[in-house]
Amino acid sequence: SGDSNENVQEIANANGIQPLVALLGSEDSKTQEYATAVLADMTRRNQEHAVGVASEGGTPLLVAMLNSDHSTECKAHVASALGSIAVEHSTAVGDAGAIESLVALLATGHPTAQHEAALALAGIAAGGRKNQDSVKAAGGLELLVGLLHIAPPGEGTAVLQERNWVKVQSNAAKALAELARDNPSNQLSIQEAGGIEPLISLITDTSQDQPQEEAAGALWSLSAQNADNQAAIAKAGGIDS
């Protein structure tokens, strides 16, 4: 299904979501991995498909795969699908036990898994205080700030490597924005973890629009109704940027 939107739509039109979700429960790991890759592609392309996967009971099956010994590449597909589902079902994804395993993916050093996990955590955190605090309790804040410290690839590096860096930075900033939103405790924790300086650097030192926009959104969330963070952002040069 990775070829085109038409292929994805054909699968959906043929009522393909239900059997694909059923394959997530297969005893054959390769079958599970294939189904996950297809569902990740489908849910990424169309939010209706994500809703369909959730309604067919896909969320707990995907979380079970995330908590298994599947490859990191497979878990990146799982994180992608869960991130799409979390757009409209953030509480259900959080309650299904996805948070700790998604946080663990942030520490893998696998760029695709890292940016997919960060995006999924952003979607889950958007569900409110309970999910925000669960991500924090799992150690997610510090790991997300750590991703912001990854240096950009040097001149002449592969395009894919640069794209992955942009996605990691953008999604880490997006997740921090959602974790800080209307949450004074998380605002303070992100500041104490050193999150402000690398967010400012994303704005001042990169030419890519997406990480700049997500970093600006994170700084806005960190500073909203928080005089201490406003002062810290000003001290770090954020107002000039």
Side-chain angles (χ1 to χ4, degrees):
S1 73
D3 297 340
S4 68
N5 288 323
E6 289 79 8
N7 287 351
V8 167
Q9 198 56 51
E10 282 182 18
I11 294 171
N13 290 344
N15 298 317
I17 290 177
Q18 184 177 16
L20 283 167
V21 169
L23 290 178
L24 296 177
S26 169
E27 294 182 3
D28 181 71
S29 61
K30 289 297 182 185
T31 299
Q32 288 181 308
E33 290 174 9
Y34 170 76
T36 302
V38 177
L39 288 171
D41 193 26
M42 293 182 73
T43 55
R44 181 173 57 249
R45 291 171 183 265
N46 189 318
Q47 186 57 34
E48 287 184 10
H49 301 333
V51 172
V53 172
S55 68
E56 293 293 345
T59 301
L61 292 169
L62 287 164
V63 172
M65 290 185 65
L66 201 60
N67 295 333
S68 72
D69 58 358
H70 282 284
S71 68
T72 303
E73 184 177 359
C74 174
K75 290 181 180 182
H77 289 309
V78 175
S80 174
L82 288 172
S84 298
I85 293 169
V87 172
E88 295 192 30
H89 299 281
S90 57
T91 301
V93 175
D95 289 347
I99 291 173
E100 288 190 7
S101 294
L102 287 169
V103 167
L105 285 181
L106 300 176
T108 58
H110 187 293
T112 304
Q114 288 173 319
H115 74 68
E116 294 291 10
L119 185 59
L121 289 168
I124 292 169
R129 182 69 60 92
K130 178 185 175 183
N131 284 356
Q132 291 172 326
D133 292 347
S134 294
V135 174
K136 177 182 178 179
L141 296 186
E142 293 81 5
L143 286 170
L144 288 163
V145 170
L147 293 181
L148 296 179
H149 287 283
I150 297 174
E155 292 288 331
T157 52
V159 173
L160 179 60
Q161 190 176 349
E162 183 174 355
R163 283 179 184 165
N164 277 333
W165 180 83
V166 168
K167 288 179 179 179
V168 169
Q169 299 299 302
S170 301
N171 292 350
K174 185 181 185 72
L176 289 170
E178 292 299 342
L179 289 164
R181 194 178 308 280
D182 301 320
N183 191 318
S185 176
N186 282 358
Q187 286 178 322
L188 176 63
S189 294
I190 293 167
Q191 187 259 110
E192 290 179 340
I196 288 175
E197 290 79 2
L199 286 169
I200 292 172
S201 294
L202 269 186
I203 296 173
T204 58
D205 299 345
T206 60
S207 58
Q208 302 271 4
D209 290 342
Q210 188 181 5
Q212 286 181 334
E213 290 170 5
E214 299 293 359
L219 289 170
W220 183 88
S221 284
L222 285 167
S223 64
Q225 298 182 320
N226 191 310
D228 289 342
N229 278 0
Q230 290 169 8
I233 291 168
K235 184 178 179 180
I239 292 180
D240 295 336
S241 64

